[in-house]
Amino acid sequence: MNRTAILSFYSKRTRRGDIQRIAEETGYSESHISNVKNGRRRITDDIANAMYYLSRRRNKQEQVA
């Protein structure tokens, strides 16, 4: 998957505490990961892979109407 697809995949499966886990795994700061997630910084392969592996077995968040 490309980086944009991984970010989209992850954003549908994100949970509380994920930013801290990704920061610990990749060595980037939590604020940098937050900026990547919000689209203010470019996503690197390291961060994209960490996001994907963290969320790959999760179900999508249900939309509450």
Side-chain angles (χ1 to χ4, degrees):
M1 267 199 257
N2 65 16
R3 290 181 247 167
T4 307
I6 289 174
L7 187 58
S8 175
F9 178 87
Y10 171 76
S11 67
K12 291 181 178 22
R13 291 163 175 81
T14 187
R15 289 192 185 158
R16 202 172 201 184
D18 283 352
I19 292 175
Q20 181 180 8
R21 289 185 197 129
I22 293 169
E24 289 174 357
E25 186 176 325
T26 59
Y28 291 103
S29 67
E30 291 180 31
S31 62
H32 182 72
I33 302 297
S34 179
N35 286 334
V36 167
K37 184 179 168 190
N38 292 323
R40 288 182 227 126
R41 303 262 186 212
R42 295 186 65 184
I43 186 168
T44 63
D45 289 332
D46 293 340
I47 296 172
N49 290 336
M51 286 177 167
Y52 177 73
Y53 289 124
L54 182 65
S55 63
R56 68 183 170 170
R57 293 184 181 154
R58 295 179 181 167
N59 293 325
K60 285 184 181 179
Q61 299 275 337
E62 294 296 325
Q63 298 291 334
V64 179

